[in-house]
Amino acid sequence: MFFPPPTSNPKMAAVSGSLMWFRKGLRLHDNPALEYAAKGSNYVYPVFVIDPHYMEPDPTASSPGSSRAGLNRIRFLLESLVDLDLSLKKRGSRLLVLKGEPSEVLIRCLKEWDVKKLCFEYDTDPYYQVLDSKVKHYAAAAEIEVFSPVSHTLFNPVDIIQKNGGRPPLSYQSFLELAGIPPWASSPLPTTPSLLPPVGNVGSCEIIGVPTVKELGFRDIEQEEMTPFRGGESEALNRLREAINDKEWVANFEKPKGDPSAFLKPATTVLSPYLKFGCLSSRYFYECLQDVYKNFRKHTHPPVSLVGQIPWNDDDQLLAAWREARTGYPWIDAIMVQLHKWGWIHHLARHCVACFLTRGDLFVHWEKGRDVFERLLIDSDWAINNGNWLWLSCSSFFYQYHRIYSPTSFGKKYDPEGNYVRHFLPILKDIPKEYIYEPWKAPLSIQTKAKCIIGRDYPQPSQLSFVSHDSASKECKRKLAEAYALNQKLNGQVRDEDLKNLRRKFEQEEDQLSNRRKQKQKLE
């Protein structure tokens, strides 16, 4: 259920105390919910709830973390909470950390404390929409004022959908035309408070400090390399200052021209994790960019569907090989290793591995890849993650399925020496650059010298039930063409039975192809 945020500012009430519920928006600068909570209050309760839904250790998960979040993202969140607590303490307050199902915890706190205002940043995530509904219903019954402003995004998504006749825009260009200039841009943003009201009596509510990953139940992880990105508002503002200091780079930045192989000094700001958790205000970031653009006559501008479903492969072995960096394609595997170790990869690298998993080579359902990204990326955002995977798999928004990222030549274009691959796949560090993106082509003598025998020490693509990228991509294109044709023939009214029939046809064709390969191998 989708609950729109308030369309007008609520009237000020004579209050004694307020509860500020932090979820995202883990910052003091440009935080209208916090500003409103402090206004006219004798005391403010700044609350964060450790939610088992996201942070309960899952020993059965494919990598360290919970079932929904990798350890990198959990650690980043905890670092952000520590930084927020320190900032609050400098201003006469502190962060109250509790644990449990968030709506139940919030309602218990509202019952226990003398609170007349409940403030929290509006969140579009369906999970939080449900929680917010429960808390709002209780607050209304208890005559507690609720203030939930839109401050995580530049625009109110409800307004954009209403402008578009009740439907979300399906292209970035149409979104830009609908959105225009942000409505808040003509007013000053809330400043960082110099002082906050103190915390009131917490009664019997069990308050804990910001826990460590060990205190949450995660075992010590022996890993050579962890994410180099530290969480928190302080780090976010430092990174922003460093990024906008080079004003010419900011003015001429073009997203498609970044280098996905640059890892020692990434070719982007790497501000996305801080925007995801709200350690950095997107509105403040926008203002900073506008200030830079004012000084340049020319600068870059924002960039330039299939309705229905596609009968994707349901192959857990292919998914596991992709997820665990065992595809045999060093460029793809190195990206996936960086994802596991750092919790972040360049946007073009994301494009490459998403295309490879879906319409490029493996033809695995985009939702499988989305779930891996959702769990492992420290900057994962529900709406952006779903939208990107729909786009990159050509399931919606983008339909030029013949444009496929090569798992060999794309990385070579940016990093001909293969330094990125050597860093994240050290087993290949001594493979000569001529073979670093296609090590199976190296003569056995070279493999032996490099102490990396392909098929034994590092997989080869043929172990993934397809012969080569060229043949696999042709098969993917053919399947997508048939799915598009079916969708067009049925005018978008594709039924489950239609998809089952198409999937059955693909499976029969694959069986026939497999039998022909086996017969050919016997003859050889």
Side-chain angles (χ1 to χ4, degrees):
M1 191 178 294
F2 193 79
F3 293 92
T7 55
S8 60
N9 287 332
K11 295 179 181 179
M12 274 294 295
V15 300
S16 55
S18 303
L19 193 156
M20 172 62 201
W21 182 17
F22 285 98
R23 299 98 67 87
K24 296 172 186 172
L26 303 179
R27 64 180 185 273
L28 300 189
H29 75 279
D30 182 31
N31 194 326
L34 178 62
E35 180 186 57
Y36 192 79
K39 193 177 296 182
S41 298
N42 296 325
Y43 43 85
V44 172
Y45 297 91
V47 167
F48 184 88
V49 182
I50 299 292
D51 187 352
H53 179 74
Y54 284 111
M55 302 180 77
E56 189 78 28
D58 182 1
T60 67
S62 58
S63 63
S66 71
S67 61
R68 295 178 177 271
L71 194 55
N72 272 318
R73 187 152 94 244
I74 290 172
R75 184 180 283 110
F76 189 96
L77 169 59
L78 296 178
E79 290 168 350
S80 300
L81 295 177
V82 169
D83 185 72
L84 178 62
D85 185 37
L86 289 173
S87 297
L88 288 169
K89 286 175 178 175
K90 290 177 183 177
R91 290 158 178 84
S93 183
R94 65 187 174 105
L95 186 64
L96 305 175
V97 180
L98 299 97
K99 191 174 182 180
E101 198 279 336
S103 63
E104 294 176 0
V105 171
L106 258 291
I107 290 171
R108 190 163 63 247
C109 291
L110 292 173
K111 288 178 179 178
E112 181 82 14
W113 303 337
D114 182 19
V115 168
K116 301 301 181 186
K117 287 193 295 186
L118 170 63
C119 305
F120 54 89
E121 184 178 68
Y122 175 69
D123 197 318
T124 59
D125 189 315
Y127 175 73
Y128 281 103
Q129 290 279 310
V130 173
L131 294 182
D132 294 356
S133 173
K134 294 178 184 177
V135 174
K136 286 178 180 178
H137 288 161
Y138 172 81
E143 297 185 340
I144 296 173
E145 179 187 0
V146 175
F147 181 53
S148 181
V150 174
S151 55
H152 186 68
T153 53
L154 299 182
F155 301 92
N156 183 340
V158 174
D159 291 345
I160 300 297
I161 292 171
Q162 287 176 345
K163 286 182 179 179
N164 200 42
R167 294 171 290 105
L170 295 181
S171 73
Y172 193 60
Q173 195 58 45
S174 62
F175 165 77
L176 289 176
E177 291 171 0
L178 286 165
I181 303 298
W184 50 265
S186 58
S187 304
L189 295 176
T191 58
T192 303
S194 57
L195 190 66
L196 287 167
V199 175
N201 185 351
V202 298
S204 62
C205 290
E206 187 177 350
I207 308 298
I208 61 174
V210 178
T212 64
V213 290
K214 193 172 182 180
E215 288 170 343
L216 284 176
F218 296 99
R219 57 185 175 83
D220 291 333
I221 305 299
E222 293 183 7
Q223 186 170 307
E224 293 179 4
E225 191 171 4
M226 304 295 288
T227 180
F229 311 118
R230 304 270 74 83
E233 179 183 18
S234 301
E235 180 68 17
L237 294 175
N238 285 337
R239 293 190 74 89
L240 176 63
R241 279 190 286 269
E242 290 177 8
I244 62 174
N245 190 47
D246 188 346
K247 292 180 170 47
E248 188 169 347
W249 178 82
V250 171
N252 296 305
F253 177 82
E254 286 189 67
K255 188 174 180 180
K257 294 184 178 179
D259 182 353
S261 69
F263 62 96
L264 293 176
K265 190 176 187 295
T268 68
T269 62
V270 195
L271 287 172
S272 54
Y274 304 93
L275 291 166
K276 180 264 187 307
F277 282 106
C279 301
L280 174 63
S281 159
S282 60
R283 308 193 308 178
Y284 179 60
F285 187 18
Y286 177 90
E287 276 199 346
C288 291
L289 293 178
Q290 297 308 309
D291 288 342
V292 171
Y293 294 155
K294 288 175 186 175
N295 298 315
F296 286 84
R297 293 181 61 188
K298 289 185 178 181
H299 59 80
T300 52
H301 294 275
V304 260
S305 97
L306 171 67
V307 180
Q309 294 295 317
I310 295 170
W312 301 102
N313 288 340
D314 185 16
D315 193 321
D316 288 339
Q317 288 186 332
L318 293 181
L319 174 66
W322 174 84
R323 182 183 62 230
E324 296 162 14
R326 294 186 286 103
T327 70
Y329 283 96
W331 173 243
I332 300 299
D333 291 343
I335 293 170
M336 296 306 291
V337 171
Q338 185 187 20
L339 173 61
H340 277 274
K341 288 188 172 183
W342 287 25
W344 180 90
I345 46 179
H346 188 276
H347 58 271
L348 289 180
R350 302 180 194 204
H351 292 190
C352 287
V353 294
C355 179
F356 185 89
L357 179 70
T358 57
R359 63 185 173 86
D361 290 77
L362 304 186
F363 213 67
V364 171
H365 201 302
W366 65 269
E367 290 181 354
K368 304 283 189 178
R370 173 206 63 187
D371 292 345
V372 172
F373 271 31
E374 169 65 29
R375 185 173 178 274
L376 296 180
L377 282 170
I378 55 178
D379 62 2
S380 179
D381 173 272
W382 178 84
I384 292 173
N385 192 37
N386 277 277
N388 282 345
W389 276 93
L390 280 165
W391 179 292
L392 291 164
S393 64
C394 282
S395 297
S396 189
F397 309 124
F398 179 74
Y399 51 87
Q400 297 180 34
Y401 59 87
H402 55 279
R403 294 175 59 183
I404 290 175
Y405 292 89
S406 167
T408 55
S409 61
F410 192 84
K412 190 184 299 182
K413 170 178 139 184
Y414 291 97
D415 182 19
E417 297 295 323
N419 293 326
Y420 176 83
V421 168
R422 297 178 203 283
H423 179 86
F424 290 106
L425 295 175
I427 189 65
L428 298 174
K429 64 183 176 62
D430 294 323
I431 294 287
K433 67 178 184 179
E434 295 83 1
Y435 303 106
I436 191 66
Y437 290 100
E438 300 171 289
W440 61 89
K441 291 185 177 180
L444 184 58
S445 59
I446 290 180
Q447 295 181 33
T448 303
K449 184 178 179 181
K451 298 179 181 177
C452 180
I453 305 300
I454 304 304
R456 185 192 72 187
D457 303 313
Y458 179 73
Q460 55 184 347
S462 60
Q463 293 172 300
L464 271 186
S465 76
F466 63 83
V467 177
S468 68
H469 165 67
D470 289 340
S471 61
S473 62
K474 285 178 183 176
E475 277 297 292
C476 288
K477 290 175 186 176
R478 184 184 66 79
K479 291 176 179 178
L480 279 167
E482 289 199 38
Y484 274 54
L486 177 65
N487 184 73
Q488 186 174 19
K489 177 183 176 182
L490 299 176
N491 197 28
Q493 304 301 312
V494 181
R495 302 169 304 167
D496 287 343
E497 189 62 31
D498 298 319
L499 289 173
K500 288 178 183 177
N501 291 336
L502 189 56
R503 184 178 291 109
R504 193 177 299 117
K505 178 177 180 290
F506 289 164
E507 290 171 353
Q508 290 171 351
E509 291 170 347
E510 287 170 4
D511 288 341
Q512 292 171 1
L513 181 61
S514 177
N515 289 334
R516 285 198 295 270
R517 286 174 183 161
K518 289 177 182 177
Q519 291 174 359
K520 185 178 179 181
Q521 288 173 352
K522 286 180 181 178
L523 292 174
E524 293 174 350

